[in-house]
Amino acid sequence: MKRVGGEPLIVKNMSFAYDGKEIFNNLNLEINAGDFCSIIGPSGCGKTTLLNLLAGFLQPNTGHIRMHDRDIIPEDPLLGYVFQTSALFPWLTALENAEFGLKMVGVGQKERQKTAQSYLDLVGLSEFGDYLPHRLSGGMQQRVSLARTLVNNPHLLLMDEPFGALDALTREVMQDELLRIWHDLGQTVIFITHDIDEAVYLSDRIIVLNVAPNGIFTEINSVLPRPRSGPKTRTDNMFWEYKKSLIQHITDVHH
Amino acid sequence: MAKRRFSYAWLSIPAVLLVWFLLAWFLAWSGEWGELFDRFENQLRLPQSWTVVYSGYEELFPLVDLSGSGIRAFQWDNELFKNMYVSLFREVVGFGSALILALIVGAATGFFKPFRQFMYPITALFQSVPPIAWAPIMVLVFTSPFYQSLTASVFSLAVLSVIFIAGFFPMVVTIQEGVLQIQGSDVKAARVLGAKGWQLYRYVYFPASLPFITTGMRLGFSYAWRALVAAEMLGVEFGIGQLILTGDATGKTPLILLGVTIIGGISFLFEAFIFKRIEAHYSEWSHTNA
Ligand SMILES: Nc1ncnc2c1ncn2[C@@H]1O[C@H](COP(=O)(O)OP(=O)(O)OP(=O)(O)O)[C@@H](O)[C@H]1O
Ligand SMILES: [Mg+2]
């Protein structure tokens, strides 16, 4: 289900540099509401920087980034961000971490505990609500981060290699879980990954960034039908065809 | 929580008592054999530990009358308690005001770099001078007739100002460290979850720096306490420092040791039962190393 009548996310003539180190040069990008868009690219090419710009943590030097005709600020209730390294509050338990967003908007304790618990259930951590983050494994921490972000029901979900720390099996479970949630809620997802299979399996669109500075990029649209279901899709011939063309693309870009 | 295990800490008190006993016994014996150990005679009279305990009893249970009946009875307003109350009262007032101000100044230096730069030489100066070095000048200033008319002698602004200096600066530095170590990622995460303005202070900056605040309190309290007792020995009325001086002046050596024991005991109780417990609460996730 795509969000009906949603406005696209628009990046227009955007340039950005860290103290003279140019990362983006006149980047133009439009992402439709409800799209699942993956971004891949070599390490250090500016993927995290792009998400920070999209979230409003960084300001473009020129050009703009808009959604619903307004600039995005980090505090925007429509925005969710799962960081590359889990940024759970170490002094709060998993459940309290998951409650945080609701607490900020004044939801009562009973209700927010119930909602937060349901999202911990969703990411398979029902039993770990009263654990402090440092007693959870890296993968579990990342799942709590995901739950904590989803609790706020964001329309634009930015994810920075969220499953990078997970083992292959858990990763596949989480991918299916994410797709299921996305089907139900229809957020716009911008998903950074290093894993080509992951990008192919999840996305409508894959954007391939080059080494910095990035201006023009290449992208390919997915032809894989939805809904995609675990083993069937992953072993489908179309999946392999698509993956092959993507790899071809990346090799072209880099040579 | 780890299971309670035997700690060798429990051996230290018997060990100290044993050494004390042997030392006191040796010095007493050498005093008797004056010809042999001439230079010890009448110079080192270390009372045995039970003598010190008995002097405590004498203080808490003063003679009922002076007629020589020898009857003793417990009295709430005995000299020992009075001195302890006064010292504790000074500590609470001096340390408390230092804490409140250190929270404000430490947060300010943590958040604003210009103010941190401005404060750095001042903190460095005050931390490099032993607080007790300020005592004579404080006594001079605060015993002028003007200030004496303002405050009761128990209060002693001279002593309070020394405790304040002793506790304030270490607390400022530790609290500032607490603010500086707050992770940018925690702040970013909170903002993107919708925390704005005061919520960031209440739900991120404050809890994130709490371990440092409590460590700062522990340091500040013990620095203030040490400075307090030292300052009390420089001519003020009452206090454990004065108790020790009285013991010295009247030749009651047990009283001196009683004072020393009380100083250590009170400090230990605060450490073990208040500050260590608060700290343990945070040690699980925090990495304070002060
Ligand atoms: N705060 C910063 N100040 C200056 N330069 C930075 C800063 N953050 C990142 N950079 C530089 O910007 C470039 C892009 O960094 P970025 O973190 O966006 O890469 P990335 O694509 O996310 O890499 P990875 O896949 O390794 O996470 C890098 O060359 C990095 O050195
Ligand atoms: Mg990155």
Side-chain angles (χ1 to χ4, degrees):
Chain A
M1 183 199 85
K2 298 260 162 122
R3 215 173 269 276
V4 189
E7 296 271 337
L9 169 71
I10 296 167
V11 178
K12 185 127 201 219
N13 298 333
M14 192 270 287
S15 299
F16 178 82
Y18 287 113
D19 308 316
K21 185 175 196 283
E22 198 173 27
I23 308 290
F24 293 106
N25 182 9
N26 207 32
L27 185 79
N28 283 284
L29 177 65
E30 197 171 316
I31 294 166
N32 291 322
D35 263 11
F36 199 120
C37 176
S38 288
I39 296 176
I40 60 178
S43 183
C45 73
K47 301 181 297 295
T48 300
T49 307
L50 181 60
L51 282 204
N52 278 323
L53 284 157
L54 294 178
F57 284 121
L58 297 171
Q59 301 305 319
N61 300 125
T62 61
H64 63 244
I65 298 168
R66 298 232 164 101
M67 197 169 69
H68 299 287
D69 269 332
R70 60 173 198 249
D71 290 342
I72 305 174
I73 55 165
E75 292 80 4
D76 196 316
L78 300 183
L79 180 69
Y81 195 149
V82 180
F83 295 90
Q84 186 162 7
T85 48
S86 102
L88 294 176
F89 306 119
W91 57 89
L92 296 181
T93 63
L95 184 67
E96 289 165 341
N97 263 285
E99 284 174 47
F100 193 87
L102 296 175
K103 190 168 178 176
M104 292 307 106
V105 292
V107 176
Q109 189 179 13
K110 266 243 173 71
E111 197 188 330
R112 66 173 193 253
Q113 274 181 353
K114 218 177 104 206
T115 315
Q117 183 62 49
S118 72
Y119 279 91
L120 285 186
D121 298 347
L122 188 73
V123 296
L125 293 174
S126 312
E127 308 297 312
F128 295 91
D130 56 358
Y131 275 54
L132 285 174
H134 77 104
R135 292 176 61 203
L136 298 170
S137 75
M140 291 157 100
Q141 291 180 21
Q142 201 55 311
R143 279 142 76 192
V144 177
S145 297
L146 180 60
R148 179 176 77 170
T149 303
L150 291 174
V151 166
N152 280 8
N153 189 19
H155 290 200
L156 174 60
L157 181 54
L158 307 176
M159 304 180 82
D160 196 350
E161 293 187 51
F163 306 146
L166 304 184
D167 64 282
L169 276 177
T170 317
R171 182 189 294 216
E172 289 190 3
V173 172
M174 290 301 294
Q175 287 167 357
D176 286 328
E177 210 49 72
L178 179 62
L179 279 188
R180 202 183 57 68
I181 294 163
W182 175 71
H183 267 278
D184 288 350
L185 305 173
Q187 309 98 328
T188 310
V189 181
I190 299 179
F191 188 98
I192 290 175
T193 178
H194 273 134
D195 180 346
I196 291 175
D197 282 38
E198 184 169 69
V200 169
Y201 182 66
L202 295 174
S203 328
D204 298 316
R205 272 173 91 182
I206 299 175
I207 289 173
V208 184
L209 289 183
N210 206 332
V211 284
N214 277 287
I216 8 178
F217 53 87
T218 48
E219 67 170 299
I220 34 176
N221 290 303
S222 174
V223 288
L224 288 178
R226 290 192 191 272
R228 298 174 192 169
S229 52
K232 196 160 151 289
T233 307
R234 287 178 207 277
T235 52
D236 198 290
N237 257 342
M238 276 170 92
F239 184 89
W240 294 107
E241 287 301 320
Y242 186 32
K243 183 177 167 183
K244 225 161 70 185
S245 72
L246 180 65
I247 292 173
Q248 190 60 51
H249 234 93
I250 295 172
T251 336
D252 288 350
V253 167
H254 290 240
H255 293 284
Chain B
M1 283 296 275
K3 265 209 275 180
R4 233 168 228 286
R5 286 189 14 234
F6 173 76
S7 160
Y8 286 94
W10 293 112
L11 288 182
S12 60
I13 290 181
V16 167
L17 287 176
L18 182 66
V19 172
W20 183 349
F21 167 76
L22 292 175
L23 198 62
W25 175 76
F26 171 74
L27 291 172
W29 171 77
S30 67
E32 276 174 31
W33 294 80
E35 314 90 73
L36 264 167
F37 297 92
D38 207 21
R39 59 211 154 103
F40 290 135
E41 198 178 8
N42 286 331
Q43 284 182 26
L44 281 169
R45 254 186 274 116
L46 181 64
Q48 285 290 3
S49 47
W50 50 85
T51 320
V52 173
V53 172
Y54 186 75
S55 78
Y57 163 77
E58 282 179 328
E59 291 287 321
L60 296 177
F61 294 77
L63 289 168
V64 175
D65 55 294
L66 297 172
S67 64
S69 64
I71 300 171
R72 293 180 172 276
F74 178 72
Q75 228 150 42
W76 274 108
D77 61 342
N78 60 72
E79 288 296 306
L80 189 60
F81 275 12
K82 234 185 268 175
N83 286 320
M84 277 167 62
Y85 292 150
V86 170
S87 283
L88 280 172
F89 172 76
R90 286 171 179 153
E91 172 77 5
V92 167
V93 174
F95 164 76
S97 55
L99 173 63
I100 291 167
L101 226 77
L103 281 171
I104 297 167
V105 175
T109 57
F111 285 117
F112 306 113
K113 197 172 178 196
F115 189 52
R116 178 159 69 247
Q117 291 173 335
F118 170 79
M119 282 300 289
Y120 175 73
I122 300 175
T123 345
L125 168 74
F126 276 89
Q127 282 210 292
S128 60
V129 177
I132 192 64
W134 299 102
I137 189 77
M138 296 302 173
V139 170
L140 270 181
V141 171
F142 289 117
T143 47
S144 67
F146 171 70
Y147 284 107
Q148 282 203 321
S149 66
L150 276 181
T151 54
S153 60
V154 210
F155 208 67
S156 178
L157 281 175
V159 171
L160 288 185
S161 56
V162 172
I163 312 175
F164 183 90
I165 292 170
F168 176 73
F169 292 97
M171 286 198 282
V172 168
V173 172
T174 319
I175 292 167
Q176 168 187 310
E177 278 311 303
V179 174
L180 289 176
Q181 59 79 43
I182 294 170
Q183 300 295 311
S185 57
D186 284 338
V187 179
K188 271 172 87 174
R191 286 181 65 191
V192 89
L193 289 167
K196 300 181 197 139
W198 68 270
Q199 289 180 318
L200 281 177
Y201 289 90
R202 166 77 182 77
Y203 296 111
V204 182
Y205 293 126
F206 180 66
S209 48
L210 251 186
F212 283 78
I213 295 175
T214 53
T215 300
M217 283 170 67
R218 180 167 67 79
L219 290 178
F221 189 90
S222 67
Y223 285 145
W225 181 246
R226 280 180 248 170
L228 162 77
V229 178
E232 280 177 344
M233 300 177 91
L234 293 173
V236 292
E237 285 184 78
F238 302 111
I240 300 169
Q242 273 306 302
L243 176 78
I244 293 176
L245 277 195
T246 310
D248 188 36
T250 56
K252 288 186 186 163
T253 343
L255 219 51
I256 298 179
L257 285 167
L258 183 66
V260 170
T261 313
I262 290 172
I263 292 164
I266 289 179
S267 176
F268 176 80
L269 290 181
F270 272 94
E271 279 273 309
F273 291 99
I274 301 182
F275 295 116
K276 280 284 173 199
R277 292 199 176 187
I278 303 177
E279 261 189 3
H281 186 71
Y282 300 109
S283 65
E284 210 185 323
W285 58 268
S286 146
H287 304 286
T288 49
N289 44 22

